[in-house]
Short mmCIF file of all heavy atoms in Angstrom, two decimals:
data_model
loop_
_atom_site.label_atom_id
_atom_site.label_comp_id
_atom_site.label_asym_id
_atom_site.label_seq_id
_atom_site.Cartn_x
_atom_site.Cartn_y
_atom_site.Cartn_z
N LEU A 9 7.53 1.47 3.06
CA LEU A 9 6.75 2.07 4.14
C LEU A 9 6.49 3.55 3.89
O LEU A 9 5.39 4.06 4.15
CB LEU A 9 7.47 1.87 5.47
CG LEU A 9 7.38 0.49 6.10
CD1 LEU A 9 8.29 0.39 7.32
CD2 LEU A 9 5.94 0.16 6.48
N ALA A 10 7.51 4.25 3.36
CA ALA A 10 7.33 5.67 3.06
C ALA A 10 6.27 5.86 1.98
O ALA A 10 5.44 6.77 2.07
CB ALA A 10 8.66 6.27 2.61
N ALA A 11 6.28 4.99 0.96
CA ALA A 11 5.29 5.08 -0.11
C ALA A 11 3.90 4.81 0.41
O ALA A 11 2.92 5.47 0.03
CB ALA A 11 5.65 4.11 -1.23
N ILE A 12 3.77 3.83 1.30
CA ILE A 12 2.47 3.50 1.88
C ILE A 12 1.95 4.65 2.73
O ILE A 12 0.76 5.00 2.66
CB ILE A 12 2.57 2.21 2.72
CG1 ILE A 12 2.82 1.01 1.80
CG2 ILE A 12 1.32 1.99 3.56
CD1 ILE A 12 3.21 -0.24 2.53
N ARG A 13 2.79 5.26 3.53
CA ARG A 13 2.35 6.35 4.39
C ARG A 13 1.94 7.57 3.58
O ARG A 13 1.10 8.36 4.03
CB ARG A 13 3.47 6.69 5.37
CG ARG A 13 3.61 5.65 6.48
CD ARG A 13 4.89 5.79 7.24
NE ARG A 13 4.98 4.81 8.32
CZ ARG A 13 6.11 4.42 8.89
NH1 ARG A 13 7.27 4.94 8.48
NH2 ARG A 13 6.10 3.53 9.87
N THR A 14 2.53 7.73 2.40
CA THR A 14 2.13 8.83 1.53
C THR A 14 0.77 8.56 0.90
O THR A 14 -0.11 9.43 0.87
CB THR A 14 3.18 9.05 0.42
OG1 THR A 14 4.43 9.38 1.02
CG2 THR A 14 2.76 10.18 -0.51
N ALA A 15 0.58 7.33 0.39
CA ALA A 15 -0.68 6.98 -0.28
C ALA A 15 -1.80 6.69 0.72
O ALA A 15 -2.98 6.92 0.41
CB ALA A 15 -0.46 5.77 -1.19
N PHE A 16 -1.43 6.20 1.89
CA PHE A 16 -2.41 5.84 2.93
C PHE A 16 -2.01 6.48 4.25
O PHE A 16 -1.51 5.80 5.15
CB PHE A 16 -2.47 4.31 3.10
CG PHE A 16 -2.87 3.55 1.87
CD1 PHE A 16 -1.92 3.14 0.96
CD2 PHE A 16 -4.20 3.23 1.63
CE1 PHE A 16 -2.28 2.43 -0.18
CE2 PHE A 16 -4.58 2.52 0.51
CZ PHE A 16 -3.62 2.12 -0.41
N PRO A 17 -2.19 7.78 4.39
CA PRO A 17 -1.72 8.47 5.61
C PRO A 17 -2.33 7.91 6.90
O PRO A 17 -1.71 8.01 7.96
CB PRO A 17 -2.13 9.93 5.37
CG PRO A 17 -3.14 9.89 4.28
CD PRO A 17 -2.80 8.72 3.44
N GLU A 18 -3.51 7.30 6.81
CA GLU A 18 -4.15 6.74 8.01
C GLU A 18 -3.30 5.62 8.63
O GLU A 18 -3.35 5.38 9.84
CB GLU A 18 -5.53 6.19 7.67
CG GLU A 18 -6.47 7.19 7.03
CD GLU A 18 -6.43 7.14 5.51
OE1 GLU A 18 -5.37 6.77 4.96
OE2 GLU A 18 -7.45 7.49 4.88
N LEU A 19 -2.52 4.93 7.78
CA LEU A 19 -1.73 3.81 8.28
C LEU A 19 -0.48 4.24 9.03
O LEU A 19 0.19 3.42 9.65
CB LEU A 19 -1.33 2.89 7.11
CG LEU A 19 -2.51 2.18 6.42
CD1 LEU A 19 -2.00 1.29 5.29
CD2 LEU A 19 -3.31 1.35 7.42
N ALA A 20 -0.18 5.53 9.00
CA ALA A 20 0.97 6.03 9.76
C ALA A 20 0.73 5.88 11.26
O ALA A 20 1.67 5.93 12.06
CB ALA A 20 1.25 7.48 9.42
N ALA A 21 -0.53 5.68 11.66
CA ALA A 21 -0.87 5.55 13.09
C ALA A 21 -0.58 4.15 13.63
O ALA A 21 -0.65 3.93 14.84
CB ALA A 21 -2.35 5.89 13.30
N ILE A 22 -0.25 3.20 12.76
CA ILE A 22 0.08 1.85 13.24
C ILE A 22 1.38 1.90 14.03
O ILE A 22 2.38 2.46 13.57
CB ILE A 22 0.23 0.86 12.07
CG1 ILE A 22 -1.08 0.74 11.30
CG2 ILE A 22 0.67 -0.51 12.56
CD1 ILE A 22 -0.99 -0.14 10.07
N ASP A 23 1.38 1.33 15.23
CA ASP A 23 2.60 1.34 16.04
C ASP A 23 2.70 0.04 16.83
O ASP A 23 1.87 -0.86 16.70
CB ASP A 23 2.62 2.55 16.98
CG ASP A 23 1.39 2.59 17.90
OD1 ASP A 23 0.64 1.59 17.95
OD2 ASP A 23 1.19 3.62 18.57
N GLY A 24 3.74 -0.07 17.63
CA GLY A 24 3.92 -1.22 18.52
C GLY A 24 3.97 -2.54 17.78
O GLY A 24 4.63 -2.68 16.74
N GLU A 25 3.28 -3.55 18.32
CA GLU A 25 3.26 -4.88 17.73
C GLU A 25 2.66 -4.87 16.33
O GLU A 25 3.10 -5.60 15.43
CB GLU A 25 2.46 -5.84 18.62
CG GLU A 25 2.30 -7.25 18.08
CD GLU A 25 3.61 -8.00 17.92
OE1 GLU A 25 4.64 -7.54 18.45
OE2 GLU A 25 3.60 -9.06 17.27
N GLY A 26 1.67 -4.02 16.11
CA GLY A 26 1.06 -3.91 14.79
C GLY A 26 2.06 -3.47 13.74
O GLY A 26 2.10 -4.01 12.63
N LEU A 27 2.89 -2.50 14.07
CA LEU A 27 3.90 -2.02 13.13
C LEU A 27 4.92 -3.10 12.82
O LEU A 27 5.35 -3.25 11.67
CB LEU A 27 4.60 -0.78 13.70
CG LEU A 27 5.69 -0.16 12.81
CD1 LEU A 27 5.13 0.25 11.46
CD2 LEU A 27 6.33 1.03 13.52
#
Side-chain angles (χ1 to χ4, degrees):
L9 283 173
I12 291 168
R13 286 166 178 159
T14 299
F16 300 88
E18 304 93 332
L19 295 180
I22 298 176
D23 57 10
E25 177 63 13
L27 180 59

